[in-house]
Amino acid sequence: KAGVTQTPRYLIKTRGQQVTLSCSPISGHRSVSWYQQTPGQGLQFLFEYFSETQRNKGNFPGRFSGRQFSNSRSEMNVSTLELGDSALYLCASSGTGLAGYTFGSGTRLTVV
Amino acid sequence: GIQVEQSPPDLILQEGANSTLRCNFSDSVNNLQWFHQNPWGQLINLFYIPSGTKQNGRLSATTVATERYSLLYISSSQTTDSGVYFCAVEPGGDYKLSFGAGTTVTVRA
């Protein structure tokens, strides 16, 4: 079956703009979570959604937001981009079985 | 929050050598996974192993939950094993993974 799909793969934005990233989970998975990876901070948790409800949120400013739709697809939005937001953004989905999380290929965001 | 420590930070191996990567965590967990990050950035799930031992080809992993550590074994290493290996844990009810800093493995031909 298809894996976790993230779009776009690469993105270049200008400081001050906003950006929206998309994640489609594995079919049947209702939990979607987002992570930011930077060389300095490593992999950090952003937020997690289950059945359109945010169940957990990481320690990021309010410029970072997300949502989940009824078909379990999720989007995250970053407003007023800063140079430090340049990172690899990874999405993961999980189901009810004991299999853990499966990650997508990521979106590499560069803010110039 | 939970602390995850991986060692060693870097590992250089000759092709064919065996190695052990370690992950220590500071609290009880419901989930522990080992990932390999490929050159394009994707995290490839190697093992879901909150306890016990599993094997998949040349890779195997053991988690001793009562002592809060996990080990990843790479046997007969190949150049394609190069990359960063991450351990990630999830305490019960957390709905998130906490990652270690990773071990960068370089396998030389």
Coordinates of all heavy atoms in Angstrom, one line a residue, chain A residues 37-43, chain B residues 4-9 23 37 84-88 98-104:
Chain A
Q37 N 13.4 19.1 11.5 CA 14.8 18.6 11.6 C 15.8 19.7 11.1 O 15.7 20.2 10.0 CB 15.1 17.3 10.9 CG 16.5 16.8 11.1 CD 16.8 15.5 10.4 OE1 16.2 15.2 9.4 NE2 17.7 14.7 11.0
T38 N 16.6 20.2 12.0 CA 17.7 21.2 11.7 C 19.0 20.6 12.2 O 19.0 19.8 13.2 CB 17.4 22.5 12.4 OG1 17.3 22.4 13.8 CG2 16.1 23.1 11.9
P39 N 20.1 21.1 11.6 CA 21.4 20.6 12.1 C 21.7 20.9 13.6 O 22.3 20.2 14.3 CB 22.4 21.3 11.2 CG 21.6 21.6 9.9 CD 20.2 21.9 10.4
G40 N 21.2 22.1 14.0 CA 21.5 22.5 15.4 C 20.6 21.9 16.4 O 21.1 21.6 17.5
Q41 N 19.3 21.7 16.1 CA 18.4 21.2 17.1 C 17.9 19.8 16.9 O 17.2 19.2 17.8 CB 17.1 22.1 17.1 CG 17.4 23.6 17.4 CD 17.9 23.8 18.8 OE1 17.4 23.1 19.7 NE2 18.9 24.6 18.9
G42 N 18.4 19.1 15.9 CA 18.0 17.8 15.6 C 16.5 17.6 15.3 O 15.9 18.5 14.6
L43 N 15.9 16.5 15.6 CA 14.5 16.3 15.3 C 13.6 16.7 16.4 O 13.7 16.2 17.5 CB 14.3 14.8 15.0 CG 14.7 14.3 13.6 CD1 15.2 12.9 13.6 CD2 13.5 14.4 12.7
Chain B
V4 N 16.8 11.1 25.7 CA 17.3 10.0 24.9 C 18.7 10.2 24.5 O 19.0 11.3 23.9 CB 16.4 9.8 23.6 CG1 16.8 8.6 22.8 CG2 14.9 9.7 24.0
E5 N 19.6 9.3 24.9 CA 21.0 9.5 24.6 C 21.5 8.3 23.7 O 21.3 7.2 24.1 CB 21.8 9.5 25.9 CG 21.5 10.7 26.7 CD 22.4 10.8 28.0 OE1 23.2 9.8 28.2 OE2 22.3 11.8 28.7
Q6 N 22.1 8.7 22.6 CA 22.7 7.7 21.7 C 24.2 7.7 21.7 O 24.8 8.8 21.8 CB 22.2 7.9 20.3 CG 20.7 7.6 20.1 CD 20.3 7.7 18.6 OE1 19.5 8.5 18.3 NE2 20.9 6.8 17.8
S7 N 24.8 6.5 21.7 CA 26.2 6.4 21.6 C 26.7 5.3 20.7 O 25.9 4.3 20.5 CB 26.8 6.2 23.0 OG 26.3 5.0 23.6
P8 N 27.9 5.4 20.0 CA 28.7 6.7 20.0 C 28.0 7.7 19.0 O 27.2 7.3 18.2 CB 30.0 6.1 19.4 CG 29.6 5.0 18.5 CD 28.4 4.4 19.2
P9 N 28.5 8.9 19.0 CA 28.0 9.9 18.1 C 28.4 9.6 16.6 O 27.7 9.8 15.7 CB 28.5 11.2 18.5 CG 29.5 10.9 19.6 CD 29.3 9.5 20.1
C23 N 21.2 3.0 22.8 CA 20.3 4.1 23.1 C 19.8 3.9 24.5 O 19.3 2.9 24.9 CB 19.1 3.9 22.1 SG 17.7 5.0 22.5
Q37 N 18.2 7.2 8.5 CA 17.9 8.3 7.6 C 18.7 8.2 6.3 O 19.9 8.2 6.4 CB 18.2 9.6 8.3 CG 17.6 10.8 7.5 CD 17.5 12.1 8.3 OE1 18.3 12.4 9.1 NE2 16.4 12.8 8.1
V84 N 22.8 8.0 9.1 CA 22.5 8.3 10.4 C 21.4 7.4 11.0 O 20.4 7.3 10.3 CB 22.1 9.8 10.6 CG1 21.9 10.2 12.1 CG2 23.1 10.8 10.0
Y85 N 21.7 6.9 12.1 CA 20.8 6.0 12.8 C 20.2 6.7 14.0 O 20.9 7.2 14.9 CB 21.4 4.7 13.2 CG 21.8 3.8 12.1 CD1 22.9 4.1 11.3 CD2 21.0 2.7 11.7 CE1 23.3 3.3 10.2 CE2 21.3 1.9 10.6 CZ 22.5 2.2 9.9 OH 22.8 1.5 8.8
F86 N 18.9 6.7 14.1 CA 18.2 7.4 15.2 C 17.4 6.4 16.0 O 16.8 5.5 15.5 CB 17.2 8.4 14.7 CG 17.8 9.7 14.1 CD1 18.0 9.8 12.7 CD2 18.3 10.7 14.9 CE1 18.5 10.9 12.2 CE2 18.9 11.8 14.4 CZ 19.0 12.0 13.0
C87 N 17.4 6.6 17.3 CA 16.6 5.9 18.2 C 15.5 6.9 18.7 O 15.8 8.1 18.9 CB 17.4 5.5 19.5 SG 16.4 4.9 20.9
A88 N 14.2 6.5 18.7 CA 13.2 7.4 19.1 C 12.2 6.6 20.1 O 11.9 5.4 19.9 CB 12.4 7.9 17.9
S98 N 10.3 11.1 20.9 CA 11.4 11.9 21.3 C 12.6 11.2 20.7 O 12.8 10.0 21.0 CB 11.5 12.0 22.8 OG 10.4 12.8 23.3
F99 N 13.4 12.0 20.0 CA 14.6 11.4 19.3 C 15.9 11.6 20.0 O 16.1 12.7 20.7 CB 14.7 12.0 17.9 CG 13.7 11.5 16.9 CD1 12.4 12.0 16.9 CD2 14.0 10.5 16.0 CE1 11.5 11.6 15.9 CE2 13.1 10.1 15.1 CZ 11.8 10.6 15.0
G100 N 16.8 10.7 19.8 CA 18.2 10.9 20.2 C 18.9 11.7 19.2 O 18.3 12.0 18.1
A101 N 20.1 12.1 19.4 CA 20.9 12.9 18.5 C 21.4 12.2 17.3 O 21.9 12.8 16.3 CB 22.0 13.6 19.2
G102 N 21.3 10.8 17.4 CA 21.7 10.0 16.2 C 23.2 9.5 16.3 O 24.0 10.1 17.0
T103 N 23.4 8.4 15.6 CA 24.8 7.9 15.4 C 25.1 7.9 13.9 O 24.3 7.3 13.2 CB 24.9 6.5 15.9 OG1 24.8 6.5 17.4 CG2 26.3 5.9 15.6
T104 N 26.1 8.7 13.5 CA 26.5 8.7 12.1 C 27.5 7.6 11.8 O 28.6 7.5 12.4 CB 27.2 10.0 11.8 OG1 26.3 11.1 12.1 CG2 27.6 10.1 10.3

